[in-house]
Amino acid sequence: MTYLASHVFYIGTVYALHPLNLQFMKDSKLLIGLIIGAVAGAALAVFIASDKGQEIVDEIKDATGKAEKELKKAISKFEDKLGKGKEFAMDLEKKAGKFIKHQSN
């Protein structure tokens, strides 16, 4: 931790633990949530900035890219089959119409 960061942390801690602020902190769930979120975000940023974090991010990007390609293939196959099913249904409807018309004559 750098000199400046350690002093900012110290000043923030002293301010947060001041008796006047303790009552405010007890009543303020929002403030606690914000602090927890900031700490979690900072930890995540440090992790992602590391080599291992970057490696995991790259793996996630690769996996989502592969999943996207597979999904597009599946959608394309589904659309093809749906089109064939629609053609079959229309052909069947025409044949049924001709059959009914032939039976009524």
Side-chain angles (χ1 to χ4, degrees), residues 5 7 11 22 48-49 72 81 92 99:
H7 276 78
I11 291 169
L22 286 178
I48 289 176
K72 285 182 179 181
K81 290 184 179 188
L92 190 60
F99 178 76

Side-chain angles (χ1 to χ4, degrees), residues 68-80:
E68 180 183 15
K69 287 178 185 176
E70 291 297 318
L71 183 60
K72 285 182 179 181
K73 284 182 189 177
I75 289 171
S76 178
K77 286 181 182 179
F78 176 75
E79 288 174 342
D80 289 343

Side-chain angles (χ1 to χ4, degrees), residues 33-47:
L34 289 173
I35 291 170
I36 291 171
V39 169
L44 184 63
V46 168
F47 176 71

Side-chain angles (χ1 to χ4, degrees), residues 99-105:
F99 178 76
I100 291 171
K101 191 174 188 179
H102 179 68
Q103 290 293 329
S104 64
N105 287 337

Side-chain angles (χ1 to χ4, degrees), residues 79-93:
E79 288 174 342
D80 289 343
K81 290 184 179 188
L82 187 62
K84 289 178 183 177
K86 185 177 178 180
E87 288 174 14
F88 176 77
M90 291 174 70
D91 186 47
L92 190 60
E93 182 181 19

Side-chain angles (χ1 to χ4, degrees), residues 5-18 21 25 35:
S6 64
H7 276 78
V8 168
F9 178 76
Y10 173 75
I11 291 169
T13 304
V14 170
Y15 177 76
L17 296 178
H18 190 275
N21 291 329
M25 284 181 57
I35 291 170

